[in-house]
């Protein structure tokens, strides 16, 4: 989006490919397409520092294969390193059990360690952190509370990357 709006975009990626978790062939093709659109990529690179210098931001990084140190000056830095659940203090005070990643542990019926308290979506210890998944889990919990079976098939959850062109997968 930023590239299409006229900004110069550089991606510094720790891995040796983009869009981890998706097929490597899709990753390779998307990299080609985005590169042709003018986005530059530094793959297999580790950010070692980000510093404000006057009205600029300086990003220091190192290529993990060559150990070559580089830096880039820019106006803005967007850090996109993954996601983690946003668990409030109330959840902890209630004594709801969390796993090592600080996600809420639930049983097959999405019930937490406290009877009749349910959790779905990005805060639970099941499946990817996707809105489509959370929606399906919410429907399943409503069905369970209503006395129905309530089930989520994690094998058919869609995922979308809103680039141009968009990339989507199912399962």
């Amino acid at each position: 989006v930023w590239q299409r709006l006229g900004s110069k975009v550089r991606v510094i990626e720790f891995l040796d490919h983009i869009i981890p978790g998706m097929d490597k062939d899709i990753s390779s093709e998307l990299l080609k397409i985005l590169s042709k659109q003018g986005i530059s990529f530094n793959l297999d690179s580790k950010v070692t520092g980000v510093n404000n210098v006057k009205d600029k931001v300086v990003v220091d990084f190192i290529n993990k294969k060559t150990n070559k140190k580089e830096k880039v000056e820019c106006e803005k830095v967007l850090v996109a390193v993954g996601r983690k659940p946003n668990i409030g203090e109330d959840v902890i005070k209630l004594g709801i059990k969390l796993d090592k990643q600080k996600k809420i542990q639930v049983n097959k019926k999405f019930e937490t360690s406290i009877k009749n308290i349910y959790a779905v979506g990005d805060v639970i210890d099941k499946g990817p952190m996707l809105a489509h998944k959370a929606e399906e889990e919410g429907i399943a919990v409503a069905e369970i509370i209503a006395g129905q079976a309530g089930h989520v098939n994690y094998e058919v959850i869609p995922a979308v990357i809103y680039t141009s062109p968009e990339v989507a997968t199912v399962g």
Side-chain angles (χ1 to χ4, degrees):
V1 170
W2 292 110
Q3 183 76 22
R4 291 192 312 266
L5 291 172
S7 296
K8 184 177 176 185
V9 175
R10 175 182 282 189
V11 175
I12 302 171
E13 172 58 53
F14 186 79
L15 298 175
D16 63 353
H17 63 284
I18 61 172
I19 60 173
M22 290 199 174
D23 185 270
K24 287 263 187 154
D25 290 338
I26 294 172
S27 172
S28 301
E29 290 305 311
L30 183 62
L31 179 65
K32 289 178 199 173
I33 292 166
L34 296 178
S35 295
K36 283 181 185 175
Q37 292 175 3
I39 298 174
S40 61
F41 291 86
N42 291 92
L43 302 177
D44 220 2
S45 296
K46 178 181 179 179
V47 173
T48 56
V50 179
N51 298 293
N52 290 311
V53 179
K54 294 184 181 176
D55 61 343
K56 297 283 182 190
V57 181
V58 177
V59 179
D60 295 301
F61 62 99
I62 187 167
N63 181 294
K64 296 185 319 182
K65 283 185 181 173
T66 65
N67 281 333
K68 181 182 174 189
K69 292 181 181 180
E70 296 184 56
K71 62 177 60 190
V72 61
E73 284 187 14
C74 51
E75 293 177 32
K76 303 283 183 197
V77 172
L78 172 65
V79 178
V81 183
R83 296 171 278 186
K84 63 181 182 177
N86 186 4
I87 306 289
E89 283 298 314
D90 291 340
V91 170
I92 295 165
K93 285 179 187 174
L94 283 172
I96 293 173
K97 290 185 182 170
L98 306 178
D99 67 7
K100 292 176 188 171
Q101 285 89 30
K102 304 271 192 246
K103 290 184 174 187
I104 296 172
Q105 294 179 345
V106 294
N107 63 20
K108 288 184 242 174
K109 294 185 177 186
F110 301 96
E111 195 171 32
T112 67
S113 56
I114 298 177
K115 188 168 179 55
N116 293 324
I117 296 181
Y118 300 84
V120 299
D122 295 355
V123 297
I124 70 169
D125 60 353
K126 292 183 180 191
M129 295 176 106
L130 298 170
H132 299 89
K133 181 216 56 140
E135 178 185 14
E136 289 299 315
E137 290 170 343
I139 291 167
V141 167
E143 292 171 346
I144 290 165
I145 291 170
Q148 299 174 12
H151 172 73
V152 176
N153 183 350
Y154 291 97
E155 299 293 318
V156 295
I157 304 249
V160 180
I161 301 173
Y162 294 102
T163 50
S164 181
E166 292 177 343
V167 176
T169 62
V170 175

